[in-house]
Amino acid sequence: MVQEIEKLRISLSRRMSKEAILTFAETVNGCDCDKILTLIAEDDKELSGNAAYVLLCAQKSLQNYLLQHTEFIMKIVQLTPFEKSRRLLLSLLEKLPPDSTNINVKFLDYCIDGILSAKTPSAIKVSCMKLAFRQCVAYKELLAELKMVLD
């Protein structure tokens, strides 16, 4: 297993074209997904971004697996220093079906902080708005609070 992770690490740590990412994503299965998911938390900017991009491109075939790891992905979004990885992982979370019964309060706070921060890039702000709304929509009080933030 360690050899397999190293092979993935080597493959994903170089600069890759969109076509190469799409080709790579077509070959990903549930077994690879565990390994790729660990790579999104790496300190290597290229590796982390490529791993996130592969998961985003493969999300339709891996949706059930990724749904089980939503909390981990949310945690990495909050911790990663790389904007590319953050943007791709937020896009991945947007594409997954929402779970309106469970709210991740830390992630909701992260989204609201991202909306309010002048330093947050526009694409990340928009994703934060969408994800915050999806978490708040089932709760009138939270929705009212989000509306105040957006006004």
Side-chain angles (χ1 to χ4, degrees):
M1 180 160 160
V2 173
Q3 279 185 320
E4 293 172 29
I5 290 177
E6 282 307 310
K7 282 183 184 178
L8 284 172
R9 181 177 276 117
I10 291 167
S11 297
L12 294 172
S13 63
R14 60 183 167 72
R15 191 169 182 85
M16 296 175 76
S17 67
K18 181 179 181 179
E19 293 77 23
I21 293 282
L22 292 171
T23 302
F24 197 95
E26 288 174 3
T27 65
V28 173
N29 59 38
C31 298
D32 293 334
C33 203
D34 269 340
K35 298 166 194 121
I36 293 171
L37 202 58
T38 63
L39 296 178
I40 64 173
E42 290 284 326
D43 290 334
D44 180 325
K45 182 179 182 177
E46 204 68 47
L47 174 60
S48 173
N50 286 340
Y53 199 6
V54 166
L55 290 176
L56 178 63
C57 292
Q59 64 88 21
K60 286 184 181 177
S61 61
L62 300 171
Q63 190 172 61
N64 289 335
Y65 174 84
L66 292 170
L67 279 171
Q68 297 170 15
H69 294 86
T70 302
E71 295 292 320
F72 177 74
I73 296 168
M74 288 177 174
K75 181 179 175 185
I76 297 304
V77 165
Q78 295 170 70
L79 297 175
T80 187
F82 310 123
E83 285 182 15
K84 176 184 175 183
S85 299
R86 187 176 305 120
R87 180 179 44 79
L88 291 167
L89 292 172
L90 286 167
S91 295
L92 175 62
L93 290 170
E94 282 181 59
K95 291 181 183 281
L96 295 175
D99 180 6
S100 58
T101 57
N102 293 323
I103 292 180
N104 182 323
V105 176
K106 285 184 180 181
F107 186 71
L108 179 58
D109 288 342
Y110 168 83
C111 288
I112 291 172
D113 290 344
I115 293 167
L116 295 173
S117 174
K119 295 179 181 178
T120 303
S122 299
I124 292 176
K125 276 188 187 206
V126 170
S127 291
C128 284
M129 284 181 208
K130 291 177 183 178
L131 291 166
F133 176 78
R134 282 180 25 178
Q135 290 190 70
C136 294
V137 74
Y139 302 92
K140 289 180 183 178
E141 309 84 31
L142 288 176
L143 203 52
E145 186 177 326
L146 181 61
K147 186 176 183 218
M148 286 189 323
V149 167
L150 295 173
D151 288 339

